[in-house]
């Protein structure tokens, strides 16, 4: 019998490829690989590097020819820098892999930005043999993958769990992350935040909320995640459960590795420009929490909210989300040009 969610994947892959992205697997270390959709030019450049043969210099060439060659290379390098687009890294949440999460965003960004859509460990084809399940490990490995792709500076856009990874990557690698856009997330999931959120929503554990095992559980997750209550036939819920909730053991371990004690929690010292983009009706991490984070992060942080949107604001109100996102990215781009 056809799984309708699985059947839509080739269509989504076709759309992403049509936008100029290609799926790439990057080995961080033996047993640890990250799958990521990257600009096709990056794939071609990496292949070219791998196939380039060593060039033996012509010792008979005179000095003037060497100088001309150096000038030509410098001009070519400068032209490349002028054509280079700013990089944007879209980091997904816990309910779906990268391109499913950001299916309404990549298309509006690819003309002006280099778009990278990674799958975090145990989502899509990304996996690790390491025992570490912390957001810091995800952030370190994602940064290492971007280094391997020669990404020098980027804006990290994180949603929910991906927002925690983006915050951590910005903290660990300020040289790489020039700015941040975060939605429906926190710096770190502390004991108190976790317990308060679960009590408010009526769930016994994070796994019960984020790793549903039944149609009823998936409906409950979508109900608390969205402002509008949407109806889907039960077979679609069943198909989604089968396709999107694989690696349950490892993902449960990710949730366990997410929570830290209150005494270990601290506000990250970030100097980047940050946009907190929130759904006004977010039931998981409410707007008051976002206001508190803005105060803690300081004057370089902007808080903007979208009406009639819940936790899944980028899915529920994609046009409004994209307007705010593009405006912020343009601001960051202009600041970079001035510098």
């Amino acid at each position: 019998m056809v799984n309708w969610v699985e059947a839509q994947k080739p269509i989504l892959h076709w759309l992403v490829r049509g936008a100029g992205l290609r799926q790439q697997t990057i080995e961080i270390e033996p047993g640890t690989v990250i799958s990521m959709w990257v600009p096709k030019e990056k794939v071609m450049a990496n292949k070219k590097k791998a196939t380039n043969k060593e060039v033996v210099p012509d010792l008979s060439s005179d000095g003037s020819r060497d100088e001309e060659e150096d000038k030509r290379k410098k001009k070519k390098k400068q032209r490349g820098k002028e054509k280079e687009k700013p990089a944007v890294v879209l980091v997904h949440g816990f309910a779906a892999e990268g391109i499913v999460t950001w299916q309404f965003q990549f298309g509006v960004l690819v003309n002006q930005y280099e778009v990278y859509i990674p799958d975090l460990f145990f989502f899509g084809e990304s996996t690790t043999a390491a025992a570490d399940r912390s957001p810091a490990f995800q952030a370190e490995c994602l940064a290492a993958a971007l280094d391997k792709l020669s990404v020098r500076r980027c804006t990290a856009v994180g949603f929910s769990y991906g927002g925690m990874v983006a915050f951590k990557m910005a903290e660990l690698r300020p040289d790489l992350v020039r700015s941040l856009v975060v939605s429906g997330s926190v710096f770190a999931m502390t004991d108190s935040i976790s317990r308060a959120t679960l009590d408010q929503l009526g769930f016994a554990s994070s796994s019960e909320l984020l790793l549903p095992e039944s149609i009823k559980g998936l409906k409950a997750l979508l109900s608390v995640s969205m402002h509008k209550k949407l109806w889907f036939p039960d077979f679609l819920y069943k198909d989604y459960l089968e396709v999107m909730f694989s690696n349950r053991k490892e993902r449960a371990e990710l949730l366990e590795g997410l929570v830290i004690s209150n005494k270990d929690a601290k506000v990250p010292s970030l100097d980047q420009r940050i946009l907190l983009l929130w759904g006004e009706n977010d039931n998981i991490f409410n707007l008051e929490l976002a206001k508190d984070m803005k105060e803690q992060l300081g004057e370089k942080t902007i808080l903007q909210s979208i009406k009639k949107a819940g936790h899944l604001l980028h899915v529920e109100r994609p046009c409004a989300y994209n307007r705010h996102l593009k405006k912020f990215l343009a601001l960051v781009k202009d600041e970079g040009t001035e510098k």
Side-chain angles (χ1 to χ4, degrees):
M1 192 172 179
V2 176
N3 183 306
W4 291 102
V5 175
E6 185 68 42
Q8 290 175 29
K9 274 191 173 184
I11 299 172
L12 184 55
H13 284 202
W14 177 75
L15 290 171
V16 179
R17 289 180 65 84
L21 304 183
R22 299 293 183 268
Q23 196 168 20
Q24 182 90 325
T25 301
I26 303 111
E27 184 179 54
I28 309 304
E29 58 186 36
T32 297
V33 295
I34 287 182
S35 176
M36 190 183 314
W37 288 86
V38 308
K40 63 182 180 183
E41 294 80 10
K42 287 287 182 177
V43 178
M44 291 165 63
N46 286 347
K47 284 182 179 177
K48 191 175 180 181
K49 281 181 186 177
T51 56
N52 274 348
K53 294 181 180 178
E54 183 181 356
V55 178
V56 179
D58 182 3
L59 298 178
S60 65
S61 299
D62 59 24
S64 60
R65 187 180 298 177
D66 288 343
E67 284 181 24
E68 288 298 319
E69 181 67 15
D70 287 343
K71 286 180 183 178
R72 186 184 65 78
K73 286 180 179 178
K74 284 178 182 178
K75 284 182 180 179
K76 187 176 180 181
K77 190 175 182 180
Q78 185 61 37
R79 284 197 299 270
K81 283 184 178 179
E82 289 170 0
K83 291 179 181 179
E84 195 173 281
K85 299 176 184 177
V88 177
V89 182
L90 304 175
V91 192
H92 65 82
F94 213 83
E97 62 195 52
I99 59 171
V100 175
T101 299
W102 301 108
Q103 59 186 291
F104 300 120
Q105 279 69 51
F106 69 82
V108 303
L109 298 175
V110 289
N111 287 336
Q112 293 180 289
Y113 302 95
E114 283 189 350
V115 177
Y116 298 82
I117 311 176
D119 288 329
L120 298 174
F121 293 129
F122 308 116
F123 294 84
E125 296 176 20
S126 297
T127 187
T128 180
D132 197 337
R133 297 289 185 260
S134 67
F137 180 69
Q138 297 267 25
E140 288 167 4
C141 292
L142 176 53
L146 293 169
D147 287 340
K148 285 176 177 286
L149 291 166
S150 302
V151 177
R152 293 176 298 162
R153 298 282 278 164
C154 71
T155 295
V157 182
F159 162 67
S160 197
Y161 177 66
M164 299 178 213
V165 175
F167 269 131
K168 186 57 68 173
M169 187 164 72
E171 182 182 8
L172 296 173
R173 291 289 306 275
D175 61 307
L176 173 65
V177 182
R178 68 188 296 193
S179 56
L180 271 175
V181 181
V182 174
S183 301
S185 191
V186 289
F187 307 133
M189 181 65 81
T190 61
D191 293 328
S192 57
I193 292 176
S194 177
R195 180 41 52 199
T197 301
L198 292 171
D199 287 348
Q200 175 195 334
L201 297 175
F203 290 86
S205 67
S206 297
S207 290
E208 184 186 348
L209 170 63
L210 295 170
L211 290 173
E213 296 182 359
S214 65
I215 291 172
K216 182 181 178 182
L218 181 54
K219 285 181 177 180
L221 173 58
L222 288 179
S223 177
V224 300
S225 299
M226 303 187 78
H227 173 62
K228 289 182 179 179
K229 309 307 175 191
L230 300 179
W231 179 88
F232 297 104
D234 282 356
F235 73 84
L236 282 182
Y237 286 106
K238 180 176 176 292
D239 289 352
Y240 194 91
L241 279 170
E242 290 177 1
V243 173
M244 292 298 168
F245 290 96
S246 58
N247 299 319
R248 285 181 174 273
K249 175 181 175 291
E250 291 83 1
R251 292 192 195 182
E253 292 169 354
L254 291 178
L255 291 175
E256 290 174 11
L258 194 60
V259 181
I260 63 172
S261 66
N262 292 327
K263 61 181 175 61
D264 293 331
K266 63 176 183 177
V267 178
S269 178
L270 300 176
D271 192 45
Q272 293 95 331
R273 186 174 284 281
I274 301 170
L275 170 63
L276 300 177
L277 185 51
W278 237 252
E280 283 192 3
N281 307 99
D282 192 327
N283 292 319
I284 296 177
F285 296 120
N286 62 41
L287 193 55
E288 289 304 313
L289 193 60
K291 290 176 181 177
D292 290 342
M293 282 201 299
K294 181 191 180 305
E295 292 304 312
Q296 292 173 312
L297 287 167
E299 60 183 18
K300 279 193 166 184
T301 299
I302 306 165
L303 171 60
Q304 295 175 341
S305 59
I306 297 175
K307 294 180 179 180
K308 298 180 181 178
H311 190 65
L312 290 167
L313 69 166
H314 60 290
V315 174
E316 204 168 8
R317 298 287 311 279
C319 293
Y321 179 94
N322 292 347
R323 279 197 302 272
H324 285 285
L325 176 60
K326 288 171 68 178
K327 187 175 181 180
F328 178 78
L329 291 174
L331 172 66
V332 172
K333 186 178 180 180
D334 289 344
E335 288 179 346
T337 303
E338 288 173 9
K339 288 179 183 178

